[in-house]
């Protein structure tokens, strides 16, 4: 973030002066505007549309308390509570950096955050945590570690590839997924990363004709893995728990069958970036040696671009036996991303500080802590009531066409036994809206359109609403459609919970009213505005 200097300007007379100059430069970076720091250290998806002040996800780097937000399947703006923690964290790091330097101070703080995250998720002490700027970056970390374990001849099998992050098509093949890494290095999108280029097989989950998950996904996974192993290659099997539409695939029985059939030939990586699974299910994956991708955004509601890879001890121990990691990965990592015990990888990584990544994780930890402080009984009850309200509103709407509820064969005993993502398509006079029209409605929901209407509808149109981004739906023989999503996230629960039962009930009813506002505005936009009007609104803003 500090402007580049000429070589003559940065050439100190001694090593001690060089260390002091680096520390001073890092401290100067910490004095930048907090909003600028929160969008630093990511890729182009975090860039702000300056007139609007929001990123591609519709989120500002500062709190927006009046925004009606049910968008946790995509991204959420930072809360006032998390923003206060970020301010305090920066102040504390400044004090620590005066004596230690920014790199060392951040390294120590990051290790403390690993302990904090393990505690919140109730993970064993021997689960290692590799931090990253995003879930897509974490996929590259996982690919590099799996190739180090199983060798270069690895095929990446991505289950529910139609419902993963936008960068997965590239990262699964070991290619650059953007034009700039989080470290600021300019790269060529879709070009191979040095030492990471891999074969990949993509298994979509949605049956576009029925708008349901395909029923043959478990046999398809087993057949695909069997064919690859028979061909002499090993497999990174990336499974989904859960997807953009709230679906899981394949079932846990299928994962156990994979482990039984091909020991030492397959490494399972769980895409849990939505974090819509409880501690018991998370431990189930880790106890079986699965790597787990997670994020502090999505369900928990931290700001976008806070990723991590959870590594069980048996995998970490195997990595300590001299396995080489692809050199191209080090364009995507910093020293503090690796746990302190991973000395070899830390020694090979640059000690550059990613302040934005660290601050976003500070915010995410605040949200995770707040969620865990809510009694489990209230969490279960609130998710049930909010979900029932959403399902009822969707079923009664002439405009919103809900997808059939997804029933998992794997039982959960916690709050995630019920859906928290509710996908729906849009229709006007019985005709489904196409991909472009759905995108236009999604953007129009975010604007104050009160001046375009009168009477009671003006108040509905004035509400600024953020919901889950459109998910592209491929339909056989027809033009692509899209699904929008109403999502229950952690902040719906932390912001309604109160020790006083009556107050908590009133808060929950108010949250249901906010859901009704989103549905009402969506119906208004689709019914009263034509496609050209919606496009004009989007372009005007």
């Amino acid at each position: 973030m500090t402007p580049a200097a000429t070589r003559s300007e940065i050439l100190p007379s001694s090593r001690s002066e060089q260390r002091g100059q680096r520390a001073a430069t890092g401290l100067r970076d910490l004095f930048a505007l907090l909003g600028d720091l929160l969008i630093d250290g990511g890729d182009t998806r975090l860039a702000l549309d300056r007139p609007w002040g929001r990123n591609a996800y519709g989120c500002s780097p500062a709190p927006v308390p009046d925004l009606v937000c049910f968008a946790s399947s995509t991204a959420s703006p930072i809360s006032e509570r998390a923003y206060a923690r970020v301010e305090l964290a920066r102040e504390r790091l400044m004090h620590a950096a005066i004596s230690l330097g920014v790199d060392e101070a951040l390294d120590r703080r990051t290790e403390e955050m690993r302990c904090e995250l393990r505690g919140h998720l109730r993970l064993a002490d021997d689960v290692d945590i590799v931090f990253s700027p995003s879930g897509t970056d974490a996929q590259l970390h996982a690919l590099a570690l799996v190739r180090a374990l199983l060798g270069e001849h690895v095929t990446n099998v991505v289950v529910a590839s139609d419902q993963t992050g936008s960068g997965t098509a590239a990262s699964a093949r070991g290619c650059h997924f953007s034009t700039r890494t989080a470290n600021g290095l300019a790269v060529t999108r879709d070009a191979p990363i040095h030492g990471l280029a891999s074969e990949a097989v993509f298994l979509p989950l949605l049956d576009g004709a029925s708008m349901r998950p395909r029923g043959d996904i478990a046999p398809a996974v087993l057949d695909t893995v069997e064919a690859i192993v028979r061909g002499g290659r090993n497999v990174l099997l990336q499974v989904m728990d859960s997807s953009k539409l709230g679906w899981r695939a394949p079932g846990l029985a299928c994962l156990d069958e994979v482990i039984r059939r091909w020991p030492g030939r397959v490494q399972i990586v769980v895409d849990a970036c939505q974090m819509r699974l409880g501690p018991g299910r998370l431990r189930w994956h880790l106890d079986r040696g699965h790597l787990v991708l997670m994020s502090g955004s999505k369900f928990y509601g931290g700001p976008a671009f806070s990723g991590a890879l959870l590594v069980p001890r048996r995998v970490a121990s195997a990595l300590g036996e001299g396995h080489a990691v692809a050199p191209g990965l080090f364009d995507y990592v910093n020293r503090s991303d690796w746990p302190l015990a991973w000395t070899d990888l830390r020694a090979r990584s640059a000690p550059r500080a990613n302040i934005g990544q660290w601050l976003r994780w500070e915010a995410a930890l605040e949200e995770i802590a707040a969620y865990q402080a809510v009694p489990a009984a209230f969490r279960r009850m609130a998710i049930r009531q909010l979900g029932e309200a959403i399902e009822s509103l969707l079923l009664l709407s002439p405009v919103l066409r809900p997808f059939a509820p997804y029933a998992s064969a794997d039982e959960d005993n916690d709050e995630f036994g019920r859906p928290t993502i509710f996908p729906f398509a849009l229709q006007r006079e019985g005709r489904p809206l196409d991909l472009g029209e759905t995108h236009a409605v999604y953007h129009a929901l975010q604007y104050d359109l009160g001046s375009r209407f009168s009477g009671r509808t003006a108040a509905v149109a004035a509400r600024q609403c953020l919901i889950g981004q459109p998910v592209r739906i491929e339909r056989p023989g027809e033009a692509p459609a899209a699904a929008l999503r109403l999502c229950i996230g952690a902040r719906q629960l932390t912001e309604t919970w109160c020790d006083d039962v009556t107050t908590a009930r009133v808060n929950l009813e108010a949250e249901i009213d906010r859901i009704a506002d989103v549905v009402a505005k969506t119906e208004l936009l689709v019914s009263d505005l034509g496609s050209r009007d919606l496009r004009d609104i989007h372009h005007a803003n």
Side-chain angles (χ1 to χ4, degrees):
M1 294 180 61
T2 303
T6 65
R7 183 168 178 80
S8 61
E9 290 174 321
I10 63 170
L11 194 62
S13 60
S14 68
R15 289 181 180 271
S16 60
E17 288 181 24
Q18 189 175 18
R19 286 195 297 270
Q21 191 164 14
R22 284 202 304 266
T25 301
L27 280 171
R28 285 199 299 271
D29 286 346
L30 286 172
F31 280 96
L33 293 174
L34 196 56
D36 288 344
L37 289 175
L38 281 166
I39 63 171
D40 191 38
D43 60 47
T44 54
R45 291 172 288 177
L46 274 181
L48 298 185
D49 179 335
R50 286 298 175 183
W52 193 29
R54 299 182 187 177
N55 60 28
Y57 303 123
C59 296
S60 165
V64 189
D66 293 334
L67 183 69
V68 181
C69 184
F70 293 93
S72 61
S73 61
T74 301
S76 307
I78 191 170
S79 70
E80 292 175 290
R81 174 182 56 249
Y83 197 82
R85 167 158 171 167
V86 166
E87 288 185 303
L88 180 60
R90 175 172 65 165
E91 181 180 339
R92 287 174 173 169
L93 189 73
M94 285 177 173
H95 288 295
I98 292 172
S99 58
L100 298 173
V102 171
D103 292 334
E104 182 63 25
L106 185 59
D107 212 15
R108 294 188 184 190
R109 175 57 194 147
T110 304
E111 195 65 17
E112 293 171 353
M113 292 164 72
R114 288 188 178 89
C115 295
E116 186 176 347
L117 182 57
R118 272 192 292 264
H120 292 325
L121 300 180
R122 285 178 264 167
L123 302 178
D125 291 341
D126 63 359
V127 173
D128 283 326
I129 299 171
V130 181
F131 285 117
S132 65
S134 71
T136 314
D137 288 86
Q139 287 177 331
L140 293 179
H141 295 171
L143 177 59
L145 298 185
V146 172
R147 284 170 61 93
L149 286 168
L150 300 183
E152 295 182 359
H153 300 295
V154 169
T155 297
N156 195 341
V157 177
V158 182
V159 182
S161 56
D162 52 345
Q163 295 178 47
T164 61
S166 58
T168 298
S171 64
R173 294 181 291 111
C175 295
H176 298 293
F177 57 86
S178 184
T179 57
R180 191 184 74 238
T181 73
N183 291 325
L185 179 68
V187 294
T188 302
R189 188 193 300 270
D190 216 37
I193 299 170
H194 184 203
L196 270 186
S198 303
E199 294 182 2
V201 175
F202 299 98
L203 299 179
L205 179 58
L206 177 67
D207 179 346
S210 66
M211 297 298 186
R212 296 173 180 267
R214 53 191 283 194
D216 66 340
I217 193 64
V221 168
L222 295 174
D223 290 347
T224 301
V225 173
E226 182 176 31
I228 294 169
V229 173
R230 192 187 309 121
R233 297 180 65 84
N234 294 324
V235 176
L236 185 166
L237 177 60
Q238 181 176 308
V239 301
M240 184 60 73
D241 193 347
S242 66
S243 76
K244 290 181 177 182
L245 299 181
W247 298 349
R248 297 166 171 169
L252 302 184
C254 178
L255 301 188
D256 273 344
E257 180 67 9
V258 168
I259 295 171
R260 186 189 67 80
R261 287 197 198 181
W262 301 289
R265 301 295 303 277
V266 180
Q267 175 61 57
I268 293 173
V269 177
V270 182
D271 183 346
C273 286
Q274 287 285 339
M275 284 308 288
R276 297 173 193 273
L277 75 172
R281 191 178 181 92
L282 192 55
R283 285 195 299 271
W284 188 94
H285 286 301
L286 293 166
D287 288 347
R288 282 160 176 74
H290 304 168
L291 301 177
V292 178
L293 305 166
M294 68 161 292
S295 75
S297 54
K298 300 299 191 286
F299 177 78
Y300 285 124
F305 278 61
S306 48
L309 177 66
L310 307 182
V311 183
R313 177 52 55 89
R314 72 172 75 171
V315 178
S317 298
L319 283 167
E321 297 173 0
H323 294 83
V325 171
L329 180 68
F330 296 95
D331 290 334
Y332 281 86
V333 297
N334 305 315
R335 186 182 68 187
S336 60
D337 293 342
W338 306 113
L340 282 177
W342 293 29
T343 54
D344 179 60
L345 290 176
R346 285 171 59 85
R348 297 178 61 193
S349 304
R352 54 201 165 205
N354 189 330
I355 300 299
Q357 173 185 316
W358 160 63
L359 288 174
R360 292 189 293 273
W361 259 111
E362 290 280 8
L365 286 170
E366 180 66 22
E367 300 293 0
I368 297 171
Y371 179 74
Q372 295 299 335
V374 175
F378 181 83
R379 298 200 303 254
R380 288 193 295 269
M381 181 271 293
I383 284 179
R384 177 179 59 80
Q385 290 195 8
L386 291 170
E388 289 173 350
I390 292 173
E391 289 174 337
S392 177
L393 287 164
L394 293 179
L395 286 171
L396 292 173
S397 174
V399 168
L400 281 62
R401 178 185 168 195
F403 283 39
Y406 178 61
S408 172
D410 306 316
E411 293 294 329
D412 280 309
N413 296 320
D414 54 31
E415 59 265 39
F416 297 104
R418 301 187 63 89
T420 56
I421 298 177
F422 299 85
F424 60 91
L426 299 175
Q427 58 186 9
R428 183 186 289 121
E429 298 177 351
R431 179 187 67 82
L433 268 62
D434 62 25
L435 184 63
E437 291 175 301
T438 304
H439 271 278
V441 171
Y442 166 75
H443 288 291
L445 280 167
Q446 299 171 43
Y447 307 132
D448 179 349
L449 303 178
S451 61
R452 288 178 170 261
F453 298 87
S454 60
R456 296 180 61 184
T457 56
V460 172
R463 299 301 297 266
Q464 294 177 278
C465 308
L466 187 64
I467 62 176
Q469 276 184 331
V471 176
R472 183 185 179 97
I473 304 296
E474 298 291 347
R475 299 179 296 174
E478 299 184 59
L484 297 172
R485 294 160 290 164
L486 277 167
C487 311
I488 303 170
R491 280 159 58 180
Q492 270 74 56
L493 280 63
T494 56
E495 292 171 7
T496 55
W497 161 247
C498 181
D499 288 328
D500 181 79
V501 175
T502 301
T503 302
R505 185 180 298 115
V506 170
N507 291 343
L508 199 56
E509 290 172 356
E511 201 67 17
I512 292 172
D513 289 342
R514 285 157 58 87
I515 298 169
D517 286 343
V518 176
V519 172
K521 183 170 182 177
T522 306
E523 292 175 340
L524 181 65
L525 293 173
V526 175
S527 301
D528 289 30
L529 295 177
S531 299
R532 172 175 286 184
D533 293 324
L534 290 168
R535 285 195 295 269
D536 289 345
I537 288 168
H538 179 41
H539 293 314
N541 289 272

